[in-house]
Amino acid sequence: MFESSKLADLDGEATAAYIAARHRDLVQAEADLMAAVVHFADIHNGEALDSAGAPLPGMERAVRRGGPGTPTVAEFAHAEIAALQDVHPASAASQMADGQDLVHRLPRLWALARIGHVRIWKARKVAAWTRQLSLEQAGWVDEQVAGYAMSLPFGRFELLVRAKIIEADPEAEEARREAAEAERFVRTGRANEHGLKVLVAKASAGDVIWFVAMCDRIATILRANGATGSLDVLRSQAIGILANPAHALALLAGFDASRTPMPAGDPSADPGEGSGGGDDDSVEPYPPDPVEDPDHIGEDDVHPALNDADEQQGDAPSDQSDFGGGTGYPSPRWDGSTTPFGGGLPQAELSKLRPPAVLYIHLSQDSFTRDPVTGVARFEGHGPISAQQAREFLGDHCQVIIKPVIDLATATPVDAYETPNRLREALHLRTPADVFPFATSLARNVDIDHTVSHIDVDEGGPPGQTSLDNLGPMARFHHRIKTHGRWQVRQPESGVYLWRSPFGYYYMVNETGTYPLSRSIGAAAWAHAADSPSAPVIDLWRSAVSFDPESYPAA
């Protein structure tokens, strides 16, 4: 037993080794504890109670804590293990249910957790999410996701599991989604002493996206018209404007975007972690600039347009307070002869008043055109959704632009330091996640780092340094760690990132997640990755992190 008082005698490297060892002990102890809880449930199997005949009112019964396919257990059994762990009986009941699901319904995930390759808390999440599935459906999800539980950070792993749950039981998932529709609400709190109220709403993701996009649009129009204050304050003022449809319609119709481009955001805002740009690497704003895509300046999912040159032209109302029929604009009114709320404008003109918004939805052609029930789409910033939900997001209030598949082989390198938009798009499709070990960000507006530092061609640098083979997305904080924190990274293969920590720990990051490497394998791979990858070494560390469910013993 190591005495904590001796920690003061350890240097940085020895302390790192101590932390790694204690973490391994903790992970194994968690797995041993869960195994003991399941064994306790087996000892108190409910079959003995069932064989004793019908219980009297209030007597202990046999209950099923886990999902379909798990054995019954004595109703009061969990109270004992709750007291032993200093937790409420409800917590112990949940622990027992999760453990039984892992052993009987998710055997691959349990095998990995049992030997310390997957944290118990992560495995328990999967057990809870899949409890409503049948035994066969849960087994299929287990087969699909178990290997990724070792490498993906929790946020990305959750998205994968939820997508597989939709695939496993699309009808039930759609029924659950429809039931959740009843949970929508709009509520307000009490006003404070300054006359401010909090507005809280739960609505469909599509409605919220369009509402926020409209608030953004009105806020940027107010800013362009000379309003002061942060964009957050202007967005809050937009709520009041939207409460008066006549006011909102006249403001939207009266804005001449061709003479006053819509601002992309608050120039005074601190980019912070995860935002684009950087002092020491590529800072080009993304998505594509106005020359390539004038309607698309987005960050994450939705933002106002940068160039609304097709917006209705004309002079703004002479009196901004007169929205009942300012100069040059018809009085907004309910006009059933044109549209439900037409303000006297034809449908074609009203379509220009909609807030430009960008939704990144990734789905296969089969899911969208030939598989209306079981298809799954990935909605950036939201997660997996059914094909039916994708259709709802892309309803008649959207103008849909289908972009072709990008052939990564055509992503030609450039000599310049800045990353052109076509390369950024290709990089995001190849490597959508932050490449720092165990990072979770899937955002588009991150820094693009040169794995090998860029040297200007005029100063002797080689051509084609800005290429997919030498780029990786990182949140700002991780970019700073790599640049200034003594972490090092190499790309032995395009899209494969080999990291070395300051104390010599190695991690491999690829499209499937993060894999800690042993020091011997990591050092060997590191030594050969600088110049040209050595096939035997690459194969060695690749095999070290491969996952074969059949190779793990049964629990």
Side-chain angles (χ1 to χ4, degrees), residues 521 524-525 528 532-544:
I521 292 177
H528 289 268
S532 61
S534 170
V537 173
I538 298 299
D539 291 342
L540 182 63
W541 58 257
R542 209 186 251 129
S543 63

Side-chain angles (χ1 to χ4, degrees), residues 251-273:
L251 184 67
L252 291 165
F255 184 68
D256 186 354
S258 65
R259 292 186 302 198
T260 310
M262 299 283 282
D266 190 346
S268 64
D270 182 5
E273 290 187 29

Side-chain angles (χ1 to χ4, degrees), residues 17 19 22 24 33 36 92 102 107 118 139 158 195 229 273 281 309 315 317 385 395 407 420 425 479 530:
I19 291 172
R22 296 292 76 76
R24 289 193 297 271
L33 176 61
L102 287 170
V118 175
E158 178 182 3
E273 290 187 29
D281 221 309
D315 296 327
I385 59 176
D407 184 359
E425 178 73 9
H479 193 175

Side-chain angles (χ1 to χ4, degrees), residues 152-165:
L152 288 180
F154 178 70
R156 293 171 59 194
F157 180 66
E158 178 182 3
L159 297 179
L160 173 65
V161 175
R162 293 197 180 280
K164 295 304 178 182
I165 290 173

Side-chain angles (χ1 to χ4, degrees), residues 209-225:
I209 287 171
W210 283 107
F211 179 78
V212 172
M214 184 61 79
C215 288
D216 283 348
R217 184 173 181 81
I218 291 177
T220 49
I221 289 175
L222 294 175
R223 169 66 63 81
N225 287 344

Side-chain angles (χ1 to χ4, degrees), residues 436-437 481-483 485-489 499-502 505 507:
F436 194 79
I481 291 177
K482 184 257 186 181
T483 305
R486 297 190 297 121
W487 282 75
Q488 301 175 62
V489 63
W499 288 85
R500 184 184 188 278
S501 77
Y505 292 86
Y507 305 88

Side-chain angles (χ1 to χ4, degrees), residues 90-160:
S91 297
S94 175
Q95 180 187 34
M96 183 178 290
D98 294 342
Q100 288 187 307
D101 277 3
L102 287 170
V103 172
H104 298 285
R105 290 162 51 85
L106 305 167
R108 293 174 176 80
L109 190 59
W110 172 240
L112 291 172
R114 191 68 186 90
I115 60 177
H117 284 195
V118 175
R119 293 294 298 271
I120 286 296
W121 67 264
K122 183 185 287 189
R124 288 187 62 184
K125 291 286 188 181
V126 180
W129 292 333
T130 57
R131 186 154 299 140
Q132 77 279 2
L133 300 179
S134 69
L135 180 63
E136 294 75 18
Q137 290 168 341
W140 182 82
V141 173
D142 180 40
E143 181 180 353
Q144 298 294 312
V145 307
Y148 293 98
M150 299 185 297
S151 58
L152 288 180
F154 178 70
R156 293 171 59 194
F157 180 66
E158 178 182 3
L159 297 179
L160 173 65

